[in-house]
């Protein structure tokens, strides 16, 4: 790899490791310093490598520079505390080296990242801030990339991150794994954030396909870290990872070259990633222990059935029952609509129409699209009316095109 | 929105033994029915089934095999739903699979303490 590509590549893989270790060491009080040191390390690399060429082991080089910068900071701070603030707690002898050593071993990097994940996904931090901080600190995304993913601008993202960091400090959140007895409860928030991170990429309004894919794979990477740690390798974590694998397997098939959505029925199944589908199956099996049935288990099982494209009775009956159970755990309009679609496949459209009309999700264009589809072939006049209502409510061009296509199909 | 308790009652002694297929079909009917309520965001608690027999503690010294000797019907299960009024709760209770077993649903508004 040449220098111009090497530094951004290393930034993506190494920045997050350096920042996690430094933050863990300095505490959230000094999170900005940690960010500055990590960023300066890459600036130093860009300058030095440009003049002297790329070192033999670029990663080790970055770690050495980061360590030096961090130790210098700690020494300066100790001197300041001792001489200026006259803090009696500070040892006179500032030359004792171990106090300023920065541990960038794989083990400490991994531990620090996991602890950071729990700190950022703390229930006291607002969801939106958790996502932003995760992208910045756990995934090493640039401010511009985060802004792009949220269709926002750099100022807004900077402000949001600033407030989130203030919150980490004011809530006095520790960078550590929760106690074993609390892990299940705290994992709930972590998993919810990872799932949102994944969905942000999967369903994002941004047309930047590469960026969207990276968001998804980052969420999967973080989830995999949880699977690898024996304390956090719990059934719902495996279920979530399974769900992500199944969804991600359709990544290439569900977006066209312009980043526009291709509907499930129209996808080219040869583009489905068989490797990810089999990984999804593997983690789904791993999730089947214990007696806890999380919503991720149910969603992963539904996602499994979605990798089976054939319209069998067995498939739709299974999907219907999974949605019945999912809705008992957590209601969402989209689950209610999908349940009704599965009902039409399993029990027939007439029953599904009666059920659909009970939902009354009258400000949701998917609701009218579903009714339009259920009425197609039964009462086309009503189907057209519903599709037209859906068209009036749809906001994005993609949604409008999809509905228009269905309307055209009835007309001909 | 208020919570309403649905109590499912039937005379379980008269229900003929079912084949596994019939039992599966009955389970599906229950699941589809409760799923329909959940899809309307009107399910508070799916509730549970109750075992066929039980005990009734009448006072310090008297315990009988229950539920109730005087009536044939017994409680088979319960759920808690959300509704704005009794009328709405009754509409939700209609279609309950217990009717196909000759049973009934008692609808009671929950009045929080």
């Amino acid at each position: 790899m040449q220098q111009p590509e090497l530094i951004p590549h290393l930034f993506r893989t190494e920045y997050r490791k350096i920042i996690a270790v430094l933050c863990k060491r300095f505490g959230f009080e000094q999170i900005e310093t940690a960010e500055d040191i990590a960023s300066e390390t890459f600036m130093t690399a860009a300058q030095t490598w440009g003049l002297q060429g790329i070192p033999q082991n670029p990663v080790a080089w970055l770690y050495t520079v980061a360590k030096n910068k961090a130790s210098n900071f700690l020494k300066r701070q100790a001197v300041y505390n001792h001489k200026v603030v006259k803090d009696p707690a500070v040892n006179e002898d500032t030359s004792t080296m171990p106090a300023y050593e920065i541990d960038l071993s794989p083990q400490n990097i991994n531990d620090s990242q996991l602890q950071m994940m729990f700190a950022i996904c703390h229930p006291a931090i607002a969801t939106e801030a958790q996502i932003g901080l995760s992208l910045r600190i756990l995934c090493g995304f640039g401010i511009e990339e985060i802004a792009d993913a949220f269709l926002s601008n750099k100022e807004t993202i900077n402000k949001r991150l600033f407030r989130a960091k203030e919150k980490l400090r004011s809530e006095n959140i520790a960078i550590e794994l929760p106690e074993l007895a609390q892990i299940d409860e705290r994992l709930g928030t972590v998993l919810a954030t990872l799932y949102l991170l994944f969905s942000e990429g999967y369903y994002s309004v941004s047309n930047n396909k590469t960026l969207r894919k990276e968001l998804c794979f980052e969420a999967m990477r973080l989830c995999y870290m949880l699977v690898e740690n024996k304390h956090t390798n719990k059934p719902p974590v495996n279920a979530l990872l399974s769900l992500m694998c199944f969804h991600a397997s359709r990544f290439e098939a569900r977006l066209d070259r312009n980043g526009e959505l291709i509907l499930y029925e129209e996808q080219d199944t040869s583009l489905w990633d068989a490797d990810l589908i089999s990984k999804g199956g593997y983690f789904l099996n791993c999730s089947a222990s214990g007696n806890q049935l999380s919503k991720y288990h149910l969603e992963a099982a539904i996602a499994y059935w979605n990798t089976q494209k054939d319209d069998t009775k067995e498939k739709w009956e299974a999907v219907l029952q999974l949605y019945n159970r999912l809705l008992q755990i957590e209601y969402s309009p989209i689950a209610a609509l999908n349940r009704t679609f599965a009902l039409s496949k399993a029990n027939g459209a007439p029953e599904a129409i009666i059920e659909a009309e009970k939902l009354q999700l009258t400000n949701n264009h998917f609701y009218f699209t579903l009714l339009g589809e259920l009425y197609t072939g039964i009462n086309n006049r009503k189907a057209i009316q519903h599709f037209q209502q859906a068209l009036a409510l749809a906001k994005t061009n993609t949604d409008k095109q999809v509905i228009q296509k269905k309307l055209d199909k009835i007309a001909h | 929105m208020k919570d309403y308790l649905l109590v499912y009652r039937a005379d379980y002694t008269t229900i003929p033994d079912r084949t596994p297929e019939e039992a599966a079909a009955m389970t599906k009917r229950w699941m589809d029915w409760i799923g329909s309520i959940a899809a309307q965001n009107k399910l508070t608690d799916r509730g549970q089934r109750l075992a066929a027999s039980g005990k009734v503690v009448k006072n310090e010294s008297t315990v009988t095999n229950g539920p109730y000797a005087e009536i044939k019907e017994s409680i088979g299960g319960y759920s808690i739903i959300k509704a704005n009024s009794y009328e709405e709760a009754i509409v939700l209770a209609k279609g309950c699979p217990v009717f196909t077993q000759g049973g009934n649903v008692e609808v009671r508004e929950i009045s929080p303490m």
Side-chain angles (χ1 to χ4, degrees), chain A residues 317 320-321 324-325 327-328 331 336 339 343 346-347 351 355 358-359, chain B residues 27-28 31-44 46:
Chain A
E317 181 54 31
L320 170 63
Q321 294 313 328
N324 279 340
R325 291 165 88 175
L327 281 159
Q328 291 168 27
Y331 169 82
R339 182 238 175 217
L343 188 76
N347 296 8
E351 185 182 335
E355 289 299 315
K358 289 180 187 168
L359 302 181
Chain B
T27 304
K28 171 175 163 58
M31 290 302 286
D32 286 354
W33 179 66
I34 212 84
S36 160
I37 295 173
Q40 297 168 61
N41 200 15
K42 286 176 180 161
L43 187 71
T44 301
R46 184 189 71 176

Side-chain angles (χ1 to χ4, degrees), chain A residues 57-334:
Chain A
N57 186 340
V59 173
W61 192 98
L62 288 172
Y63 287 1
T64 307
V65 171
K67 277 182 196 176
N68 289 342
K69 285 181 194 289
S71 320
N72 287 341
F73 163 74
L74 287 173
K75 280 179 208 158
R76 276 200 308 276
Q77 201 187 32
V79 170
Y80 176 82
N81 284 344
H82 179 63
K83 297 246 163 77
V84 185
V85 188
K86 301 252 184 253
D87 184 348
V90 176
N91 195 321
E92 177 89 28
D93 182 12
T94 54
S95 66
T96 44
M97 273 313 289
Y100 308 111
E101 269 298 330
I102 303 293
D103 179 5
L104 274 161
S105 64
Q107 183 64 46
N108 192 45
I109 287 174
N110 194 52
D111 290 350
S112 304
Q113 285 189 292
L114 258 187
Q115 292 164 357
M116 192 57 106
M117 209 188 303
F118 275 91
I120 289 174
C121 302
H122 190 279
I125 308 294
T127 309
E128 205 183 43
Q130 287 181 1
I131 300 281
L133 283 174
S134 297
L135 286 175
R136 182 75 185 138
I137 295 174
L138 299 174
C139 310
F141 272 49
I143 302 296
E144 211 156 321
E145 287 173 306
I146 302 176
D148 191 6
F150 286 107
L151 286 191
S152 183
N153 57 51
K154 282 166 83 173
E155 290 71 43
T156 310
I157 299 296
N158 268 325
K159 268 186 216 155
R160 193 184 292 173
L161 289 176
F162 179 79
R163 279 196 300 268
K165 287 179 217 164
E166 284 292 297
K167 188 82 179 163
L168 285 171
R169 281 190 276 259
S170 65
E171 293 285 334
N172 229 341
I173 290 167
I175 306 173
E176 61 189 19
L177 280 192
E179 286 171 36
L180 287 182
Q182 287 180 338
I183 276 202
D184 282 336
E185 197 191 328
R186 290 285 307 279
L187 257 180
T189 322
V190 176
L191 294 185
T193 307
L194 296 188
Y195 191 18
L196 270 176
L197 196 58
F198 184 88
S199 304
E200 209 48 72
Y202 206 68
Y203 302 106
S204 166
V205 273
S206 166
N207 278 342
N208 185 336
K209 189 175 166 185
T210 318
L211 180 63
R212 294 177 57 170
K213 216 167 152 181
E214 271 191 50
L215 276 173
C216 290
F217 285 121
E218 281 299 320
M220 291 166 81
R221 182 182 64 79
L222 294 172
C223 199
Y224 189 65
M225 282 183 74
L226 294 172
V227 165
E228 279 192 310
N229 182 288
K230 68 172 194 270
H231 298 305
T232 54
N233 183 18
K234 301 282 178 110
V237 181
N238 284 277
L240 178 59
L241 188 53
S242 160
L243 165 64
M244 290 175 176
C245 289
F246 284 137
H247 277 328
S249 73
R250 287 196 296 282
F251 216 106
E252 289 305 325
R254 68 190 284 280
L255 295 177
D256 68 15
R257 250 184 243 158
N258 304 319
E260 299 285 349
L261 193 69
I262 300 172
L263 289 182
Y264 178 78
E265 303 85 59
E266 289 156 19
Q267 287 172 12
D268 175 1
T269 47
S270 70
L271 292 175
W272 290 2
D273 188 327
D275 184 42
L276 278 171
I277 293 176
S278 88
K279 283 200 174 84
Y282 172 78
F283 290 114
L284 189 58
N285 275 333
C286 295
S287 77
S289 66
N291 51 14
Q292 193 191 359
L293 187 73
S294 67
K295 65 171 183 164
Y296 304 117
H297 284 92
L298 295 165
E299 289 191 44
I302 292 167
Y304 159 75
W305 280 108
N306 280 333
T307 64
Q308 312 291 308
K309 210 175 178 184
D310 294 337
D311 252 3
T312 61
K313 181 107 184 121
E314 184 202 9
K315 166 180 169 174
W316 289 109
E317 181 54 31
V319 171
L320 170 63
Q321 294 313 328
L322 289 163
Y323 274 118
N324 279 340
R325 291 165 88 175
L326 179 63
L327 281 159
Q328 291 168 27
I329 296 181
E330 190 179 275
Y331 169 82
S332 72
I334 198 72

